[in-house]
Amino acid sequence: MRTLFSLLFISFYACTTTNAQYVFTGLDINPGSSASSPIAMTAIDTLLYFRAQHSAYGDEPWISDGTVNGTRLLKDIAPGTASSAAKSFTGYNGKVYFSAISTNGDELWVTDGNTNGTVLLKDINPGSGSSRPAYFFVSGRKLFFYADDGVHGNELWMSDGTANGTVMLKDIWTGPDGQDPNIDPSFIEINNKVYFIATNGSQVQGYELWTTDGTTNGTQLVADIRPGLATSGLRMLTKYNNKLYFFANAGSPDYGSLWVSDGTSNGTHMAVDPVTGTQIYDGPSSAGLVNNKIPVCNNLMFFGVNRISNQNINNLELWVSDGTPNGTKQLKDIYPGLYGCELDYLHVVDSLVFFFANDSLHGKELWVTDGSTSGTRMVHDIRKQVGFGCSPMFVSPYANKLFFGAYDTSSTTSYADLWVSDGTSNGTKKIKPYGIKGMSGDSRFDPVVCHNNMFFTAWFDSTGIELWVLRDTNYHADTSPPASIHNITDKYECSIAPNPAHDKLKVSWNISYEDAQISIIDLTGKTLLNKPVLAGQNSIEIVLPNISSGIYIVNIQHKYGVVTKRLAKD
């Protein structure tokens, strides 16, 4: 393989705003003007795994730490210009698992980050047939995924990281038929149990709520929400207040509602009655939601609701819920009258939810809410033309702000500009013109935050659509691996309890800080929560955001330095 420097080109672009300086690094993976079109980007520990096109290797897996020297081809799995189409990169037990196409078909692969350590783990559908492993999910000591062995159809599998330990967990739809590969099982873990969406086919139920504890006997139906063969349309499985919330349709008169489950059949019911409660006729909508989860912020769930079904009118507006009928309401009639606000791209950034909406006057523009009616407002009119919105795309939180592609009145090409917002009009700025490719709606191209960098695809110069890295030089999240976490200022003692924590955390310290702030950060460097410490406080209780089990970093930043603690979330 040629040296990295013959494969990559690096360029810098700095933009200074009032509060931040942004440095861009361009990585020309496919040399010249030909595009590498990176997709399937996934942050795992301090590295980005993705696949990209190269004229000599085809469409293959790559790896990057955000630098030229640290960006390289992982392995040419399908030799020559053939493509392995690697995807679904998932970190598990110190290695990375993914699916890729080789002479064995589309099968399960594993890598330790080195070329020689990138190998086929198991040929699940023997020979040239493809098992097409997908929807990887890690829980405890198990890696769950769906695959088709050519005999049982697409079913639930499990792996311990070895070939012998990679087995079908249960043939849920017995016989050669299996789960629809296009239906996301939406795996989620709550209280050491994994919940997902599945069907046993023509036998009894359509697609309904299932659970597994990692054993065949422990893999079973939780509740048949819409009895019989009809499917309840489960979607957006989300952990909230230590219970499972989701959208489902139980049939007339329930055309879609917010449901809740404690993991038992009797404990699975509508959280909000669509008739006697808030009259949600068409129910909660998946429109605008990202990552297949309901956004949770300030201990509230945010989603869209369409209330008009009998008039065949889309009246989608933003709603909020605390899981109770009285606490479920429309936040604001953003587009007054019968028509909806075109709700899109809901993202949580610290204590705010950013989203895009159309108020009938400005077109689809950037909005923000704190969960109150008065706190739901348009942030900035980016495209100041009546009837035209900014056509947002490519939206991602990073460095306590929201980054996105958008068009303003000066946009003259099919490529959007890169913008940033801190939730204020003055803090909403264009930071790099022309280059964000219009790929809205395709999650394969979503930006990814990894080790204090934001990776994204763009066409900013003559190199074509390539991988770019954005760094906010004023943003310094602690992204050290858990093993190296230590207190920077041991003199100022701090404790967190309980640890592991479940839904609440108490942080205590031995002196009273002034102008202090507590942050919870994941291992990719993404800030999940910021909370100020009032003068004179010696302890503070924090309601943990809606995060999965794992290791996180708690930073207590004050004028004397930073105290860093490791937090285990159970």
Side-chain angles (χ1 to χ4, degrees):
M1 186 175 74
R2 284 176 284 176
T3 62
L4 182 67
F5 289 103
S6 66
L7 298 177
L8 299 173
F9 166 82
I10 185 168
S11 64
F12 294 95
Y13 175 97
C15 174
T16 303
T17 67
T18 303
N19 299 311
Q21 182 179 18
Y22 303 108
V23 176
F24 292 81
T25 303
L27 303 174
D28 188 11
I29 292 171
N30 199 4
S33 59
S34 298
S36 69
S37 300
I39 60 173
M41 295 185 292
T42 306
I44 301 175
D45 295 330
T46 60
L47 297 172
L48 182 81
Y49 289 78
F50 61 101
R51 88 176 196 233
Q53 292 273 358
H54 190 281
S55 57
Y57 309 117
D59 193 9
E60 295 292 347
W62 285 68
I63 192 170
S64 177
D65 64 0
T67 68
V68 172
N69 291 334
T71 304
R72 58 184 171 83
L73 176 71
L74 188 57
K75 186 168 187 171
D76 191 6
I77 292 174
T81 57
S83 298
S84 68
K87 60 183 180 296
S88 301
F89 299 101
T90 303
Y92 166 64
N93 202 22
K95 294 185 178 181
V96 174
Y97 296 77
F98 61 101
S99 69
I101 301 171
S102 67
T103 55
N104 298 96
D106 188 353
E107 294 294 347
L108 180 62
W109 283 67
V110 63
T111 181
D112 61 3
N114 299 302
T115 301
N116 292 337
T118 304
V119 297
L120 176 71
L121 178 63
K122 185 165 185 170
D123 190 6
I124 295 173
N125 193 340
S128 60
S130 295
S131 69
R132 298 182 179 86
Y135 304 116
F136 294 92
F137 181 78
V138 176
S139 173
R141 299 182 179 179
K142 306 286 175 61
L143 174 67
F144 296 91
F145 60 98
Y146 271 28
D148 183 353
D149 62 3
V151 177
H152 301 93
N154 192 46
E155 292 293 351
L156 181 61
W157 281 65
M158 181 177 67
S159 179
D160 63 1
T162 67
N164 290 336
T166 301
V167 297
M168 185 175 69
L169 181 56
K170 187 167 186 171
D171 187 10
I172 296 175
W173 187 341
T174 57
D177 294 318
Q179 312 301 307
D180 186 337
N182 297 313
I183 293 181
D184 186 345
S186 298
F187 289 113
I188 188 170
E189 181 181 8
I190 301 176
N191 296 330
N192 300 318
K193 291 189 112 179
V194 176
Y195 296 88
F196 61 103
I197 301 167
T199 179
N200 63 5
S202 60
Q203 300 167 51
V204 182
Q205 297 100 12
Y207 281 89
E208 297 292 351
L209 182 63
W210 284 66
T211 186
T212 182
D213 60 4
T215 67
T216 300
N217 291 337
T219 303
Q220 54 192 328
L221 177 75
V222 174
D224 188 8
I225 293 172
R226 190 169 185 176
L229 298 180
T231 293
S232 64
L234 267 77
R235 58 202 186 279
M236 314 310 292
L237 273 61
T238 300
K239 182 179 180 180
Y240 173 68
N241 285 345
N242 207 35
K243 289 186 178 181
L244 176 65
Y245 283 80
F246 53 92
F247 303 158
N249 178 354
S252 180
D254 174 25
Y255 298 106
S257 293
L258 181 66
W259 282 66
V260 61
S261 177
D262 63 2
T264 67
S265 179
N266 291 335
T268 302
H269 56 85
M270 271 187 279
V272 180
D273 189 306
V275 177
T276 62
T278 58
Q279 297 183 349
I280 305 177
Y281 298 121
D282 271 1
S285 169
S286 301
L289 305 189
V290 295
N291 302 322
N292 209 23
K293 296 287 183 287
I294 304 171
V296 176
C297 182
N298 299 330
N299 205 32
L300 294 169
M301 292 180 283
F302 295 78
F303 48 87
V305 168
N306 186 352
R307 296 187 62 184
I308 307 296
S309 61
N310 55 353
Q311 297 186 41
N312 196 28
I313 294 175
N314 180 9
N315 190 30
L316 185 69
E317 292 287 352
L318 180 62
W319 284 56
V320 66
S321 177
D322 63 3
T324 68
N326 290 336
T328 303
K329 60 184 180 180
Q330 180 176 301
L331 265 184
K332 195 168 194 172
D333 191 7
I334 295 174
Y335 194 118
L338 292 177
Y339 294 95
C341 68
E342 303 176 41
L343 185 68
D344 209 354
Y345 293 115
L346 278 79
H347 281 275
V348 177
V349 182
D350 296 336
S351 59
L352 295 174
V353 177
F354 288 76
F355 62 98
F356 289 84
N358 182 357
D359 65 356
S360 79
L361 298 176
H362 301 92
K364 186 183 286 189
E365 293 289 352
L366 181 62
W367 284 64
V368 72
T369 181
D370 60 3
S372 66
T373 301
S374 60
T376 303
R377 55 184 170 79
M378 189 176 77
V379 176
H380 192 73
D381 186 11
I382 293 172
R383 189 168 186 173
K384 296 178 175 62
Q385 290 176 276
V386 176
F388 290 90
C390 67
S391 302
M393 64 190 71
F394 226 78
V395 185
S396 177
Y398 165 62
N400 305 325
K401 301 178 185 67
L402 190 75
F403 291 76
F404 57 96
Y407 297 85
D408 63 9
T409 52
S410 67
S411 301
T412 59
T413 72
S414 60
Y415 294 90
D417 307 315
L418 184 61
W419 287 71
V420 63
S421 178
D422 63 1
T424 68
S425 181
N426 289 337
T428 303
K429 302 176 182 297
K430 181 195 301 187
I431 59 173
K432 200 168 189 344
Y434 177 72
I436 301 300
K437 180 65 175 173
M439 298 173 179
S440 59
D442 193 337
S443 61
R444 297 177 305 163
F445 296 93
D446 285 349
V448 171
V449 176
C450 179
H451 201 50
N452 210 20
N453 294 313
M454 187 177 82
F455 291 81
F456 62 103
T457 58
W459 190 348
F460 285 133
D461 51 30
S462 61
T463 60
I465 301 173
E466 291 291 351
L467 182 65
W468 283 77
V469 185
L470 167 64
R471 177 179 285 272
D472 179 348
T473 59
N474 287 347
Y475 178 65
H476 302 288
D478 189 328
T479 57
S480 304
S484 63
I485 291 178
H486 61 281
N487 285 355
I488 299 175
T489 54
D490 294 330
K491 175 182 176 181
Y492 303 99
E493 297 175 358
C494 175
S495 64
I496 58 176
N499 194 7
H502 184 63
D503 56 353
K504 291 182 180 180
L505 179 70
K506 185 175 182 179
V507 184
S508 305
W509 45 91
N510 64 335
I511 65 171
S512 296
Y513 296 141
E514 294 180 3
D515 300 324
Q517 180 170 270
I518 296 175
S519 302
I520 297 179
I521 303 164
D522 69 17
L523 296 184
T524 70
K526 179 180 178 180
T527 300
L528 306 174
L529 179 144
N530 273 329
K531 193 172 184 67
V533 176
L534 300 178
Q537 282 186 299
N538 288 88
S539 67
I540 189 171
E541 186 175 81
I542 296 173
V543 176
L544 294 178
N546 184 32
I547 55 179
S548 59
S549 300
I551 301 298
Y552 297 85
I553 298 165
V554 178
N555 279 347
I556 302 94
Q557 186 171 1
H558 52 88
K559 66 181 181 181
Y560 306 107
V562 179
V563 178
T564 304
K565 293 288 187 179
R566 180 175 65 176
L567 169 66
K569 170 70 168 59
D570 65 16

